[in-house]
Amino acid sequence: MATASTASRITRKIGIAVKKAASRNKGWYDLHMAAASGAIAQRLPLVDLVAEIRDARIPLSSENELLRDFPALSKRLVVMNKIDLADQTQVKGWMRYFEQQNCIPYGVNSHNKDSVKGLLNFIEAQVRGLCKANHHASETITIMLVGIPNVGKSALANSLHQMGRISAAEKGRLKHATVSPQPGETKDISSFKQYNGVFHAQHLNLQIGSHPNIYLLDTPGILPRMIHDAELCSKLVLTGGGAIRDGLIEQKELARYFLTILNLSDQYKKWAKFSTNEDRLLSFIEHKVEDSICPKLEMRQKKQHMMDHTQDLIVNEVRGTIFDTISCFDGNIELEEDMIKLIEAELVALREAFRVPQGLGEYVYNRVVSVKLLDLYRTGRLGHYTLDTLPQTLHHPL
């Protein structure tokens, strides 16, 4: 498909640039990751259950490759965090995919209490099933959390711990602990420490339940020493949070990548109500009248404007600006050259929407717009996107 090829070419260019920049600098793999990788590998066979935390926007690209060395893991939870930022129409497909990979999937938003509570209940149910199936006599179950950097492991662990404090029979008595080499033995712990220049990885363990006692063993995020897939590099940088730091590539290049994804989607069509072009807005409303949706649209518009504060107004202006720019573009975005022209037009048009002061110079203009645009994308205010493609051999109609 031509459009997919355009996106892939742009994505690969960015990924190659990231890899080159990483080779010139220290990259992303450091002493902390090396120490953590060894410590995790040692403890994996000793825990009762492994929960791999992934980013729901990149369910494949956020895989922790270390787990590939342990194919004998009997049970593995795959927890897709940031589910609120992913394309909701694809969630069921990804759940089914992980089930077919002999994993136990679950989607969660670590910043939503109800979502975290649902995950806690899910984990407790899995533990009960594990104890029953294995005739588990131990009063302590240890679950290791693993994942790449900044997929939300620690935030999720702390949220589960706090929720466990409320829910557990021993309310208020849950505490931080460490896991010893022998499962079931816990001690007080400190975090990463350095002795004589050598990093020793110690893992934060949080109790989230009792009867049996359930402990989460939180571990540092790790990436492979080398990432050969250029597109994977691009996705890790675009989703942000620091898995691969932004500084390895210009913000404008990341903004171009995001705009490529947006331009090839139908997301912008939802923003017609924010258009500043009266002709296009009227055309949109007339079209909706035919589908008997116009009254609802007008009511939603009025309600929206009544509730908007300054930040919301800026976000809506950005949406309207993108809609107008794409709508009036007469090129063929299946061609890479035309896609780049559209992106440049969008970046220029967004200066006004973002209230960027005049006289800053072209480089500063582009950087300011790009940083603001990426922030809106990463917080879900410009739509929800899943960047990975569901493997076709396992994809069935929802």
Side-chain angles (χ1 to χ4, degrees):
M1 186 176 177
T3 53
S5 299
T6 298
S8 294
R9 283 195 296 271
I10 293 174
T11 305
R12 281 196 296 271
K13 286 180 181 178
I14 292 171
I16 291 169
V18 171
K19 292 174 67 176
K20 286 182 178 178
S23 65
R24 292 194 299 268
N25 298 284
K26 293 182 178 180
W28 48 74
Y29 194 86
D30 54 21
L31 288 175
H32 292 274
M33 284 194 187
S37 296
I40 291 171
Q42 287 180 344
R43 286 163 174 76
L44 265 172
L46 304 177
V47 299
D48 299 292
L49 194 62
V50 173
E52 183 186 9
I53 313 302
R54 299 200 189 189
D55 187 326
R57 297 169 296 177
I58 45 174
L60 289 182
S61 300
S62 56
E63 176 192 9
N64 187 313
E65 293 188 8
L66 180 64
L67 296 181
R68 295 180 183 178
D69 298 330
F70 296 87
L73 287 174
S74 58
K75 284 289 183 181
R76 174 155 58 106
L77 304 182
V78 173
V79 179
M80 293 191 290
N81 192 22
K82 307 182 183 181
I83 199 78
D84 53 308
L85 300 178
D87 183 345
Q88 298 303 300
T89 65
Q90 297 190 35
V91 171
K92 288 183 179 179
W94 283 107
M95 291 286 190
R96 190 162 50 244
Y97 167 77
F98 286 120
E99 287 172 352
Q100 294 178 11
Q101 300 302 303
N102 199 31
C103 296
I104 306 169
Y106 194 88
V108 68
N109 171 7
S110 62
H111 299 293
N112 181 285
K113 289 184 179 180
D114 290 337
S115 184
V116 174
K117 175 63 176 175
L119 176 60
L120 179 60
N121 292 338
F122 178 78
I123 290 174
E124 289 174 339
Q126 294 300 319
V127 168
R128 287 193 297 271
L130 180 67
C131 291
K132 184 177 180 180
N134 298 337
H135 305 289
H136 212 295
S138 173
E139 294 183 355
T140 300
I141 298 293
T142 304
I143 303 173
M144 179 183 280
L145 296 186
V146 297
I148 66 172
N150 300 97
V151 289
K153 290 188 312 300
S154 296
L156 196 54
N158 287 324
S159 295
L160 285 167
H161 176 59
Q162 294 302 321
M163 192 65 68
R165 291 178 66 92
I166 297 171
S167 304
E170 297 177 8
K171 183 177 178 181
R173 295 179 60 189
L174 304 183
K175 61 180 181 180
H176 295 187
T178 49
V179 171
S180 76
Q182 300 302 319
E185 296 181 11
T186 58
K187 300 177 182 178
D188 291 338
I189 115 172
S190 55
S191 183
F192 241 98
K193 290 189 176 180
Q194 183 178 13
Y195 301 103
N196 300 323
V198 179
F199 287 91
H200 299 268
Q202 296 180 325
H203 309 287
L204 183 61
N205 196 31
L206 302 169
Q207 188 176 358
I208 64 170
S210 56
H211 310 299
N213 294 318
I214 305 173
Y215 288 91
L216 289 182
L217 180 58
D218 190 18
T219 63
I222 57 172
L223 287 169
R225 185 182 296 273
M226 294 292 295
I227 298 178
H228 300 287
D229 188 332
E231 290 193 36
L232 191 152
C233 283
S234 297
K235 293 171 185 177
L236 291 176
V237 178
L238 180 62
T239 48
I244 297 179
R245 62 184 185 276
D246 282 356
L248 290 176
I249 192 168
E250 290 288 345
Q251 297 295 292
K252 182 180 178 181
E253 296 306 311
L254 287 181
R256 279 177 171 171
Y257 178 22
F258 166 62
L259 287 172
T260 300
I261 295 167
L262 190 157
N263 293 340
L264 292 174
S265 74
D266 291 330
Q267 178 64 45
Y268 79 95
K269 295 177 182 178
K270 301 176 183 178
W271 302 334
K273 57 183 174 292
F274 303 121
S275 174
T276 56
N277 185 300
E278 291 184 5
D279 291 336
R280 275 194 289 276
L281 182 57
L282 287 172
S283 174
F284 171 80
I285 292 176
E286 287 171 2
H287 174 72
K288 289 299 183 182
V289 167
E290 296 174 3
D291 297 328
S292 301
I293 301 177
C294 185
K296 293 181 181 179
L297 169 68
E298 292 177 338
M299 186 178 298
R300 187 165 63 247
Q301 268 191 280
K302 290 178 181 178
K303 185 177 180 181
Q304 176 71 39
H305 288 302
M306 288 174 64
M307 296 175 63
D308 276 344
H309 52 71
T310 303
Q311 182 61 34
D312 290 330
L313 288 171
I314 292 176
V315 172
N316 289 341
E317 282 191 36
V318 169
R319 293 168 176 168
T321 298
I322 293 173
F323 173 81
D324 288 339
T325 308
I326 297 176
S327 298
C328 70
F329 185 71
D330 58 2
N332 179 7
I333 61 173
E334 294 186 7
L335 302 176
E336 184 176 355
E337 182 180 351
D338 282 2
M339 173 66 81
I340 292 173
K341 288 179 181 178
L342 172 58
I343 290 171
E344 292 303 315
E346 289 170 320
L347 291 174
V348 171
L350 285 170
R351 295 176 186 178
E352 183 177 349
F354 279 124
R355 315 283 202 274
V356 181
Q358 295 183 359
L360 296 179
E362 195 69 18
Y363 176 81
V364 178
Y365 271 137
N366 287 329
R367 179 170 178 78
V368 171
V369 169
S370 298
V371 168
K372 290 178 179 291
L373 185 69
L374 290 171
D375 178 66
L376 292 186
Y377 155 67
R378 289 167 176 169
T379 53
R381 286 175 286 181
L382 291 180
H384 302 154
Y385 306 86
T386 300
L387 306 185
D388 285 335
T389 302
L390 195 64
Q392 292 299 312
T393 55
L394 292 163
H395 179 50
H396 305 287
L398 300 181

